[in-house]
Amino acid sequence: MQDTSAAIHPEHASQHVQNHTGVAIGAITCVKEQDQGLLLTGTYFNLAIMSVDAGVIRIKTFRGHKPNWKTTQAIVESSARKAAPLAWSATDEEVSITFNQSKITVNRQTGAIQLKGEGMPAVDIVSMQRNREAVGDYTAFVSLTHDDHIYGLGEKTGFLDKRGERYTMWNSDVYAPHVPEMEALYQSIPFLTVLNQGASYGLFLDNPGKTVFDMRTYADHAMLQTWTGEFDLYWIEGPTMKEVLVRYGDLTGRMPLPPKWALGYHQSRYSYMDEKEVLELAHTFRDKEIPCDVIHLDIHYMNGYRVFTFDESRFPNPERMMEELRGLGFHVVPIVDPGVKKDPMYAVYMEGVEGDFYCKTAEGEIYTGPVWPGESAFPDFTESRVRDWWKEKQRFYTDLGIDGIWNDMNEPAIFNETKTMDVHVMHGNEGDRKTHGELHNVYGMCMSQASYEGLKALLEGKRPFVLTRAGYSGIQRYAAVWTGDNRSFWEHMSMAMPMVMNLGLSGVPFSGPDIGGFAHHTSGELLARWTQMGVFFPYVRNHSAIDTLRQEPWSFGEEIERICQQYISLRYQWMPYLYHWFYEASKTGLPLMRPLVLEYPNDPQVYNLCDQFMVGDSVIVAPIYRPNTEWRSVYLPEGEWIDYWSGERFAGQQHIHVHAPLEKLPIYVRAGAVLLEGPVRQYAEQEISADHVIASVYLQGQSGFSELHWYEDDGLTFAYEEGQWNKMSIQVTETEQTLHVTAKYSEYGYETKRDHLQFRFIRLTAAPTSVSGLGDRMELDAWTQAATGWTYDEARCELWVKLQENKAGHEFKVTLA
């Protein structure tokens, strides 16, 4: 339903700002230590301040005599955390608090708070207020300077820098077009990072009810607001953006390493209607040699949209279908929604009734609402006993050989006026009963937790994959995220870049949009350009809505098919490099897909640059995101950059004008980088002859040093947790006349399957005359067939070296003319 002009009738106008009838904390009358924290008693409400870990301070409102330090589901327990020792002093004017290098000052008359960390700008919370009439509803005003830029806040529309925007954290089913004025979508991650001339801090407002982040209404302040519960704020020090993200990941957890097949290409549609269509789809991918790992099943696979069922007329023999798909190298990921059809003849529904697993009204009745199956009940995923039940229900899928689940509609979405569950529905919440209004944003995450943990328990050591639409801070521990029901608009293609980059800056590294757009009708050109861009996103899925034009890679003729095949193949060719950066994300929380500002925080040119992005720390991808366009400007930051396709070298800190006809995606690699590539596979686990990895070294010329600590494991199981993984340190030292190369395993616990390792040295300044231990130069054809050796391409100034796999590693010297 669309608005008409009546929506802006003068009588309907409002200020769109929460009514500030609140009171500030008032004079602080008492200061005392308790439970390793400092309690400040104010006239109207109280504050508690404590150290959580190095560089992380928690500030929480409370009423009564003692704060409740219990955390939400966002925070992971960790024995590695070490709270800093508390020191404090008080005068009539202020309270001074010190946690190691972190200093906090609270004005005793106004309650204003200043936070100061080493090497970073001060944070001024100039006022904190509470609504007189509500049991929650706090508002804090944080000072902003002219040079402050704001990032994060999860899955939001608009540009990269969120300064000047206003967002609501309330997980919402939004099928209507995702336009910049949309304040709430499916994910609510109330965490932001402020950058000021290279120095950063983070603020995480841990409240899973409705919260507001308003950087628009006040020119020099950000307004942070809760609508229920207490104001529970974590101040996270930098001083760099990367340090803020690492510390946020220490708090909320990190992505587990996904199975390598989940990094491959996924094909989906709402819906592939029957077994015949699914199998034809799979065979078409293999016949056309377009790589693909995953086929998704949308809601039509179910019997009347009942979860944990198959429609026997559409899918008469799912066991046989799964077996055939496995033989072709495909994984199947079926959709599973939270709504359980209210039907006494449906065993799953009755199990929930008998086990008391469903959400209830305050009066104790099972809450139901209409979704795809009709009137449905909703499991109370805030209770571990309910999650245990749901975990065991995953056996329905794992018994068929399914190892991935797609959680949709888990905001939860309900077909009613509010589009979600009544805010007065009650959740057990492990004995700490709360209303749905207080816990709304964690519902989807708790469902994904049950899905992930259930699959993990049932898959006998194999890694599961869960995809979710809804989530809260910490969702990265359980699921990848797709950005919901986008549309086949060029504007949505361009919007996907800052949206996924900000998800990465919010602790969610594994995310992506529906390639080609979900709703509306795509075109061949849009599909080709979106596929080019999409294969470099962390999550890669093509998905389209019912009654829209088909958008499988072959849907628009031979030219578009060829382009889609080329770039999907490139995704698989880059798999060793991409998997390495997924590993880095699992260890540090830093995203695979990065805005340039994360790597170049002192460069003003990149503060709001959101139409190009980085893969890892060394590759820039600059998509074409407008129709009938073959040219674009690309910004290259400091250093030297090399065109991936031509090998042409460019100086940094400049914009270049790039020609990119339909078949070309502009890609630039930083001089000094090491890029890992392998053979093209039709699916991630395909075993091929003459398996190899190519380490492409982008030389700096004359003098320089290149390094990569390359991670690998079996890509399928949790054996890496038992030490079955490798890390190879690849180092290249350049001088005017030599290249000194070492490739040594610093850790070796996994027996690789490859036959050989190749090195490709790009843009030599002089022709090579020898490579130690490898004899004379070979012609390309002979080199291709040989087990070891070297060859040189004069036209591209590239040296190729081939070595047999050797767990002792390699060391050699290249002499230049």
Side-chain angles (χ1 to χ4, degrees), residues 300-328:
H300 290 92
Y301 82 88
M302 293 181 276
N303 175 15
Y305 312 125
R306 294 169 177 84
V307 292
F308 311 114
T309 67
F310 269 89
D311 185 314
E312 293 180 1
S313 60
R314 296 176 188 268
F315 295 88
N317 196 331
E319 294 92 342
R320 185 181 61 198
M321 182 184 78
M322 298 301 170
E323 185 177 0
E324 183 171 344
L325 289 169
R326 281 196 300 276
L328 292 168

Side-chain angles (χ1 to χ4, degrees), residues 394-678:
Q394 309 306 306
R395 189 180 297 277
F396 175 80
Y397 298 106
T398 59
D399 282 352
L400 294 170
I402 290 170
D403 45 12
I405 292 295
W406 168 18
N407 287 158
D408 193 16
M409 304 288 286
N410 54 341
E411 291 74 29
I414 298 176
F415 302 153
N416 59 18
E417 191 172 319
T418 66
K419 300 183 180 180
T420 194
M421 192 177 289
D422 188 287
V423 294
H424 298 301
V425 167
M426 300 304 299
H427 291 287
N429 197 39
E430 307 291 32
D432 184 16
R433 282 166 55 86
K434 291 187 183 298
T435 65
H436 184 71
E438 295 172 281
L439 295 177
H440 172 79
N441 290 332
V442 296
Y443 185 85
M445 184 172 83
C446 292
M447 180 189 184
S448 292
Q449 178 184 359
S451 299
Y452 179 84
E453 291 177 350
L455 290 177
K456 185 177 181 181
L458 295 167
L459 287 176
E460 299 179 341
K462 290 195 297 183
R463 301 178 210 171
F465 169 72
V466 175
L467 178 67
T468 186
R469 191 169 75 174
Y472 182 68
S473 294
I475 187 60
Q476 65 273 6
R477 305 196 301 263
Y478 311 114
V481 168
W482 99 101
T483 57
D485 295 339
N486 63 358
R487 300 209 164 203
S488 299
F489 299 156
W490 289 93
E491 293 82 358
H492 278 211
M493 177 186 167
S494 63
M495 183 174 68
M497 286 183 273
M499 184 177 284
V500 174
M501 284 190 280
N502 270 317
L503 275 164
L505 295 179
S506 304
V508 184
F510 197 4
S511 64
D514 285 337
I515 289 174
F518 174 70
H520 197 57
H521 306 284
T522 198
S523 66
E525 184 188 11
L526 178 57
L527 179 62
R529 290 301 197 189
W530 206 324
T531 302
Q532 289 173 344
M533 177 185 81
V535 299
F536 288 101
F537 276 50
Y539 178 62
V540 184
R541 181 178 76 160
N542 177 319
H543 184 44
S544 55
I546 200 166
D547 294 332
T548 64
L549 288 175
R550 302 296 292 233
Q551 58 186 50
E552 290 79 16
W554 51 83
S555 298
F556 292 91
E558 292 184 3
E559 181 188 20
I560 302 304
E561 178 183 332
R562 176 179 53 79
I563 293 170
C564 290
Q565 180 189 40
Q566 175 192 354
Y567 282 90
I568 294 170
S569 298
L570 190 63
R571 170 79 175 193
Y572 285 77
Q573 187 177 322
W574 281 47
M575 192 67 79
Y577 184 76
L578 297 171
Y579 190 73
H580 167 81
W581 287 104
F582 266 88
Y583 162 76
E584 290 291 330
S586 75
K587 300 302 288 185
T588 67
L590 299 177
L592 161 79
M593 178 179 172
R594 302 179 177 183
L596 274 72
V597 70
L598 187 61
E599 294 296 329
Y600 302 93
N602 293 298
D603 186 347
Q605 293 289 335
V606 303
Y607 287 163
N608 205 12
L609 182 60
C610 52
D611 67 349
Q612 57 187 74
F613 57 89
M614 300 191 73
V615 181
D617 64 2
S618 300
V619 177
I620 290 175
V621 176
I624 301 292
Y625 53 92
R626 291 289 181 263
N628 309 116
T629 300
E630 290 194 353
W631 291 89
R632 67 156 290 167
S633 173
V634 177
Y635 180 70
L636 301 176
E638 65 179 345
E640 281 195 314
W641 296 86
I642 298 165
D643 187 313
Y644 175 75
W645 304 109
S646 69
E648 185 178 359
R649 191 181 293 266
F650 296 90
Q653 291 191 303
Q654 65 162 331
H655 290 83
I656 60 174
H657 197 44
V658 178
H659 185 220
L662 185 58
E663 67 275 8
K664 181 182 176 183
L665 169 71
I667 304 172
Y668 297 88
V669 184
R670 177 179 54 80
V674 179
L675 177 65
L676 303 169
E677 297 173 89

Side-chain angles (χ1 to χ4, degrees), residues 681-745:
R681 288 174 160 83
Q682 293 307 298
Y683 52 96
E685 297 166 39
Q686 183 184 22
E687 294 186 8
I688 60 175
S689 60
D691 199 355
H692 63 277
V693 168
I694 304 167
S696 296
V697 182
Y698 288 78
L699 298 171
Q700 299 178 65
Q702 301 297 325
S703 63
F705 181 72
S706 304
E707 184 175 42
L708 181 72
H709 298 286
W710 167 28
Y711 174 87
E712 60 179 341
D713 59 30
D714 67 18
L716 184 64
T717 74
F718 286 96
Y720 69 91
E721 293 181 346
E722 307 301 321
Q724 294 184 35
W725 55 277
N726 299 339
K727 187 169 281 190
M728 174 181 277
S729 178
I730 300 173
Q731 298 180 328
V732 180
T733 304
E734 302 174 51
T735 69
E736 190 172 341
Q737 295 180 317
T738 63
L739 304 177
H740 183 239
V741 183
T742 60
K744 301 285 189 179
Y745 286 105

